[in-house]
Amino acid sequence: MARQLGVGWYLNWGVSAAPARPGGIGFVQIVRTRQGVLRPEASTIAQVAGSVPGSLWLVGNEPDRLVWQDEATPEQYAAAFYQAYRAIKESDPTALVAIGGVT
């Protein structure tokens, strides 16, 4: 059904080592960076990255929004992005890592 609708991937604003893949669609991992703190922590990110090679990872969800989302200053977000990037790429050099959506 998902493929019939033209769905290529989905997300649930989290990280999963075994995401559901209805119809074989992709899953995008999202590391949250609330106030510059990684959720989940870097060790969990690294473990998951190693178990799902080649995944697309978004770091943060509207990290620049100061109310209701990740609420990070530019400095906090940059530091969190660096930590997440290293954890992901050290475990899976084939992973794709991008900034999360900004407002």
Side-chain angles (χ1 to χ4, degrees):
M1 177 68 131
R3 287 282 184 202
Q4 293 171 332
L5 294 173
V7 176
W9 56 266
Y10 77 101
L11 55 83
N12 66 5
W13 293 276
V15 170
S16 176
R21 296 185 185 271
I25 65 173
F27 177 79
V28 176
Q29 307 281 350
I30 295 189
V31 176
R32 299 304 301 266
T33 58
R34 187 167 181 86
Q35 296 181 338
V37 176
L38 296 180
R39 289 188 318 182
E41 64 279 345
S43 61
T44 300
I45 294 167
Q47 181 180 16
V48 172
S51 70
V52 289
S55 291
L56 171 59
W57 292 76
L58 300 181
V59 180
N61 180 56
E62 298 180 359
D64 58 324
R65 186 165 175 110
L66 296 179
V67 178
W68 300 307
Q69 292 299 325
D70 284 355
E71 303 177 357
T73 66
E75 295 81 10
Q76 289 172 326
Y77 179 71
F81 183 92
Y82 179 73
Q83 291 174 338
Y85 183 89
R86 286 196 51 191
I88 294 163
K89 287 298 218 173
E90 287 176 0
S91 293
D92 176 18
T94 68
L96 302 172
V97 184
I99 65 169
V102 294
T103 56

